[in-house]
Amino acid sequence: MTIQQVLLLLLLWMWLPQPCHTEMLFRRTPDLRPKSFGGRALGNDGKTIHRQKRGWMWNQFFLLEEYTGSDYQYVGKLHSDQDKGDGSLKYILSGDGAGTLFIIDEKTGDIHATRRIDREEKAFYTLRAQAINRRTLRPVEPESEFVIKIHDINDNEPTFPEEIYTASVPEMSVVGTSVVQVTATDADDPSYGNSARIIYSILQGQPYFSVEPETGIIRTALPNMNRENREHYQVVIQAKDMGGQMGGLSGTTTVNITLTDVNDNPPRFPQSTIHLRIPESSPVGTAIGSVKATDADTGKNAEVEYRIIDGDGTDMFDIVTQKDTQEGIITVRKPLDYETRRLYTLKVEAENTHVDPRFYYLGPFKDTIIVKISVEDVDEPPVFSRSSYLFEVHEDIELGTIIGTVMARDPDSASSPIRFSLDRHTDLDRIFNIHSGNGSIYTSKPLDREISQWHNLSVIAAEINNPKDTTRVPVYVRILDVNDNAPQFAVFYDTFVCENARAGQLIQTISAVDKDDPLGGQKFFFSLAAVNPNFTVQDNEDNTARILTRRNGFSRHEISTYLLPVVISDNDYPIQSSTGTLTIRVCACDSRGNMQSCSAEALLLPAGLSTGALVAILLCIIILLVIVVLFAALKRQRKKEPLILSKEDIRDNIVSYNDEGGGEEDTQAFDIGTLRNPAAIEDKKLRRDIIPETLFVPRRTPSAPDNTDVRDFINQRLKEHDTDPSAPPYDSLATYAYEGNDSIAESLSSLESGTTEGDQNYDYLREWGPRFNKLAEMYGGGESDKDTS
């Protein structure tokens, strides 16, 4: 605590009644009521209730919090009027904190607090007191309840629930506009003194903002605060208890205040005139350039709408507002032509879309700019007189006939001659051609509508001075029909006549087709090329005709087939006709006219042998042939005989192997490298067709690790050959050209003794024993001679 707080506590202590003089007297009160109002009453159950007279008088005790003395703090004194002062009574205390926080002197009734008490933890304590006779331990007075109330001192400063507040207020607000309210709390007792009475004041943020002392409401203090000048403010608010008097405790908080934007600034163009350029060849929709008006506001208050309000190019250009960038994009509305007009002038206006009526006095929220657009000359390609051409021509025209002409001009001021050509990708057969000078299209091959009715050409026009810049135009050529195809049978007719047919019987209905397509539709006529005694044709006049018999009965034995030529003609000009021949077979039919057989050879077959029987016989023959082939194949498979049939053959073969082999250099027969495995000859198994011989197995020295894959492969192959009686004796391969591993003594040859110094040291021969002494002297002496020389 500070010195001021200590002095304040002392003053409060002097003002308050001292608890050391507080005494609770327990006196018996005289019963002044009449006997008729005696201590009896009837309960709910009808029994008489006896009321005991109270022998205690009690008051409320008060205790100052945060006691700092070294002794127990005196609370008060309990006393009964039955206490004669002889120590016969015993005072007992129970309730909140009895025995721990509060203790009582059993003889005198004095109550003390054992430790410092904080009112903010508990404001009052409820206890019960009783006086009993020490000897009999019976209460002399009924138990009485009393309260110890803790008097508050200013030991808690005001606190804010948040260390930093965030608030906002619109710019240009009037003085006194509420921004935000801050509220501090004080843990002291608000009902006792001024310890919890808080007063607010502003420590930082003047003269822009103020705070109401009682409520903590922050308000604007200056008029017309402009966000564009300053947007963020930091205000520090102090909350002080004791009503803001000297010695009160305080706490502070920070309020960050932001001025929100309002539309108080009109859009403004940075300049009054701009100049843009665009080539005349720019297509419709091309962006020429952009204009932008600046607005100091933000968000929707800065949104601007652009429009063209005047000028000589209002019908040639458009302007579109780009929302994300707030720019006005000027685009081409109609095709431009340098030769027609070279300069356009536009008046563009920019206006805020969201206007606040409160700020109309600041002026109109719009601005204008003059946009001049210059059209630049471009060497334009030729322009055709039409967007497409359609020519119609008959298919029978002569070669070289002009079917139509395309026309194009140079739109530039300096007109250049134009050259025409055909895109051969659209005329792969080169049926047409074009005059390069005048654009006349003519035929170079015969036309046939039946092959292709339409030809879609593409004509290219280019300036002679600038052949790279070209223009294309589609040319559609329609081939008109000419009657140049004769009608023919619509399908192939398989016609038959029954042997029992009668005269005038219908045997076939025929129709025709024609590749031509006359305007009035197809019309065919049918007739016989010559009078036929057997058949006739009757035209139905609907492009069909009926074939009828002219006599009764036909015989397959005499004539099995008749040929009937029918002439088919069309009605277009010039008339085309063709002759189609019907093949009419004579067939045996039943009584209903259903065909049974048309082949004359069928009469020669046995009467009882049907087609199903013939098929069954053929299947049996095929099965017998398959069985014979299988037996022949099985006989050709013979069991392999062993190559070695007897022991004599084996011995002869062994004797003939009188060759040590080629060693490592012999690579003609097989790869010796695959046999370099010392373990390969360890696992020897006897051949069933070779007499075993005693083999001397030489002693070998340990070898370096070998390739296990190669060893396993060789061992597996040897096992297979050992168990195969038909295999030749390849065991000898195991001994060919195999020298074994290196010797421990290495080579004793002196052929290379002169190459290295290490090979000429033979002192180790003396260690081999007396038998090698002479050899050691011979080589040792020679070396000595060499050294001495």
Side-chain angles (χ1 to χ4, degrees), residues 158-167 179-185 198-206 208-221 233-240 249-257:
T159 59
F160 290 92
E162 298 182 14
E163 295 182 0
I164 298 178
Y165 289 83
T166 301
V179 180
V180 69
Q181 182 179 14
V182 294
T183 304
T185 57
I198 299 175
I199 298 298
Y200 300 94
S201 62
I202 184 169
L203 300 182
Q204 177 183 327
Q206 295 175 333
Y208 307 103
F209 300 94
S210 62
V211 63
E212 293 183 356
E214 300 291 338
T215 62
I217 298 176
I218 301 174
R219 301 182 181 273
T220 58
Y233 297 85
Q234 189 176 71
V235 178
V236 178
I237 301 298
Q238 182 189 57
K240 191 174 184 180
L249 304 179
S250 63
T252 60
T253 187
T254 300
V255 182
N256 293 326
I257 301 176

Side-chain angles (χ1 to χ4, degrees), residues 1 203 209 322 395 413 415 484 531 618 685 702 749:
M1 288 187 179
L203 300 182
F209 300 94
Q322 198 77 18
E395 59 179 331
S413 56
S415 181
D484 57 349
V531 177
L618 182 60
K685 291 191 176 180
S749 175

